[in-house]
Amino acid sequence: MFDPNEASHPMTDATHAAQFALTVDQLAFRDTAVRFAADVLAPAYKAQEKAGQISLQVRRQMGELGLIGVEFPEAFGGMALDHVTAGVIIEAVAEGDFNVAYIQLLASLCGAIVARHASPEISARLLPRIVAGESVVALALTEPQGGSDAAALVLKAVRDGDDYLLTGEKTSISMAEQCDWAVVFARTGTVAERARGVSAFLVELDAPGISRTHFTDLGQLAVGRGSIFFDQVRVPASHRLGAEGDGFVQVMQGFDFSRALIGLQCLSVARVCLAETWKYIGERRAFGKPLSDNQGVTFPLAEHETMVEAARLLCYKTLAAKDAGIAHTREAAMCKWWAPKLAFEVVHSCLLMHGHSGWSVDLPFEQRLRDVLGLQIGDGTAQIMKLIIAREALRSAKG
Ligand SMILES: Cc1cc2nc3c(=O)[nH]c(=O)nc-3n(C[C@H](O)[C@H](O)[C@H](O)COP(=O)(O)OP(=O)(O)OC[C@H]3O[C@@H](n4cnc5c(N)ncnc54)[C@H](O)[C@@H]3O)c2cc1C
């Protein structure tokens, strides 16, 4: 019989630890990214928000340190590393600046679609620039009439000789003003075909007929969002990603990856807040003793620690499943609804534990709160994630 106190049981802690431990290489990436986050990103978190953009210098530094697109094939500037390593990096980068982590997030989400479905020539032209931090590629899926029901999109792509002509609007696009390229999802079939009538195109955004607008948002101001308008934009047919009608599947597969990264990005902010708050409550005194002497203060933090650790393991499990080629749509949806919500709750709680100073813009809690909130919507809302989890559960219940 299994005795949890018996050290010699075959499933010892060490065995469990080995399953979840990071490799030496992953730890090395983590060290590099953590140092960069602490030395460069964290001190500039507020300044980049004020500037309303992520500086090219920061992007290039990330590129030089090898923090963008590590999972891309070597032929396209990447290191062909596993997806867990991408998770390790985004978590470390977000410790310093949640918004800068978007550079890696968009690179990984869009880069995977390009690497898999673009011609080798196009991938070789674009992906090394992304890895170097020189180019940013946005994901252009959402349209004004709706984002959750993405299969109903209407932006039109009409074949014209060797090209397609794209006409319509994409809205709510992260880094709309800072990106050079976009993976654009357009309707090549009929609206009645829904997902099967959607194709993906890699569009260079200096093409004639493209214009952009800027949104005034609550948070993620260094990332920024906006609309991208397409007025008869000529896109070479060679820039179609995969076959006509394959676009929807491509983006959904991409989301299975990005949703785990987003989970880690958000939880990273929560972990930093918790670390700062444990320190603060040990130092701050009220009623003649440290705040940490009150279980009313420490217990909520202990609960947050537990939840954050569980959610974080779920994200890494999802990435490990991707690396192992195991289906992980269900887990990715779980990461996406839970982690951003949990992170928001933790940041909120840590802000309150800092009392009046937590409310001040002199401390980063208010910015973190605004920043993490956006990812309860971006990349799919909690309701849509729960629809996916329920669909998968019902499917397996049917057998
Ligand atoms: C910070 C941020 C970044 C973003 N970045 C990008 C980007 O880079 N590229 C891009 O293409 N898009 C981006 N988006 C858009 C985002 O993906 C959409 O906002 C999101 O998918 C929801 O779509 P919607 O806003 O049109 O809401 P709607 O689809 O109109 O939904 C409104 C509300 O109704 C709920 N709802 C809808 N249908 C159902 C249902 N069947 N059951 C229960 N509830 C339902 C939703 O959950 C939501 O709460 C971003 C959004 C934000 C906030």
Side-chain angles (χ1 to χ4, degrees):
M1 195 192 305
F2 172 57
D3 175 0
N5 297 316
E6 190 185 317
S8 62
H9 189 272
M11 287 298 279
T12 59
D13 282 354
T15 315
H16 283 296
Q19 285 169 352
F20 289 103
L22 299 177
T23 64
V24 172
D25 286 348
Q26 288 163 343
L27 286 171
F29 272 104
R30 176 164 173 78
D31 284 351
T32 302
V34 163
R35 226 171 308 122
F36 173 63
D39 296 347
V40 177
L41 300 182
Y45 180 45
K46 194 73 180 169
Q48 298 235 74
E49 164 165 83
K50 282 213 176 94
Q53 62 174 358
I54 296 164
S55 75
L56 179 59
Q57 190 192 347
V58 162
R59 280 164 35 194
R60 283 183 175 152
Q61 280 175 293
M62 285 180 77
E64 280 160 20
L65 292 171
L67 302 180
I68 310 172
V70 289
E71 69 282 5
F72 292 1
E74 284 167 301
F76 304 142
M79 294 180 234
L81 295 180
D82 53 276
H83 297 83
V84 168
T85 302
V88 167
I89 293 172
I90 202 164
E91 192 179 33
V93 168
E95 277 182 22
D97 187 329
F98 173 87
N99 296 318
V100 170
Y102 257 86
I103 296 297
Q104 190 203 343
L105 177 68
L106 288 175
S108 287
L109 172 57
C110 299
I113 297 172
V114 172
R116 202 154 165 206
H117 302 287
S119 68
E121 294 73 32
I122 290 173
S123 292
R125 189 175 150 218
L126 176 63
L127 295 179
R129 288 188 58 79
I130 293 177
V131 170
E134 297 291 341
S135 284
V136 172
V137 57
L139 186 97
L141 179 66
T142 304
E143 297 188 356
Q145 76 285 353
S148 300
D149 187 9
L153 64 84
V154 295
L155 185 140
K156 196 100 189 106
V158 178
R159 186 80 194 223
D160 184 40
D162 288 342
D163 302 325
Y164 284 85
L165 292 174
L166 268 56
T167 303
E169 178 185 350
K170 290 293 173 184
T171 197
S172 188
I173 309 306
S174 296
M175 301 202 78
E177 287 178 304
Q178 300 177 63
C179 57
D180 324 284
W181 295 79
V183 175
V184 179
F185 296 87
R187 186 152 297 284
T188 43
T190 64
V191 174
E193 282 177 294
R194 288 188 50 83
R196 281 194 306 280
V198 174
S199 304
F201 296 89
L202 180 64
V203 182
E204 199 159 6
L205 294 175
D206 58 3
I210 292 177
S211 55
R212 318 182 203 192
T213 57
H214 173 80
F215 292 178
T216 304
D217 281 342
L218 176 65
Q220 300 185 10
L221 305 187
V223 176
R225 278 184 320 141
S227 281
I228 307 180
F229 297 88
F230 298 79
D231 182 8
Q232 300 271 307
V233 175
R234 194 163 282 281
V235 178
S238 59
H239 282 218
R240 194 187 64 223
L241 299 170
E244 270 201 12
D246 282 356
F248 201 76
V249 175
Q250 290 170 18
V251 73
M252 291 304 143
Q253 284 170 348
F255 283 154
D256 285 350
F257 177 27
S258 63
R259 285 172 180 160
L261 294 181
I262 285 172
L264 290 168
Q265 181 185 2
C266 294
L267 293 170
S268 175
V269 177
R271 291 171 68 226
V272 171
C273 289
L274 282 170
E276 291 168 355
T277 306
W278 284 116
K279 190 161 184 295
Y280 180 77
I281 63 167
E283 292 164 357
R284 178 82 173 174
R285 297 178 71 84
F287 302 100
K289 57 184 184 180
L291 290 179
S292 55
D293 277 12
N294 301 292
Q295 291 177 345
V297 171
T298 56
F299 279 15
L301 294 181
E303 288 171 17
H304 290 326
E305 288 283 354
T306 312
M307 303 284 264
V308 166
E309 199 54 37
R312 190 174 172 227
L313 285 175
L314 176 64
C315 297
Y316 276 118
K317 179 189 167 183
T318 306
L319 294 173
K322 181 166 178 60
D323 284 325
I326 298 168
H328 52 284
T329 299
R330 187 181 77 108
E331 288 78 4
M334 291 174 177
C335 297
K336 178 59 188 58
W337 84 257
W338 189 26
K341 178 174 181 288
L342 176 61
F344 183 84
E345 288 164 2
V346 172
V347 179
H348 178 203
S349 184
C350 292
L351 184 155
L352 296 181
M353 296 250 183
H354 277 76
H356 72 89
S357 52
W359 176 241
S360 165
V361 294
D362 292 339
L363 290 186
F365 298 104
E366 58 83 29
Q367 187 186 350
R368 291 174 183 159
L369 195 68
R370 290 184 285 106
D371 285 346
V372 296
L373 178 59
L375 279 178
Q376 286 191 46
I377 306 170
D379 213 286
T381 65
Q383 287 91 336
I384 300 310
M385 295 308 111
K386 290 172 192 175
L387 285 177
I388 294 170
I389 297 164
R391 182 194 67 203
E392 297 287 315
L394 288 167
R395 190 180 288 164
S396 30
K398 265 191 195 157

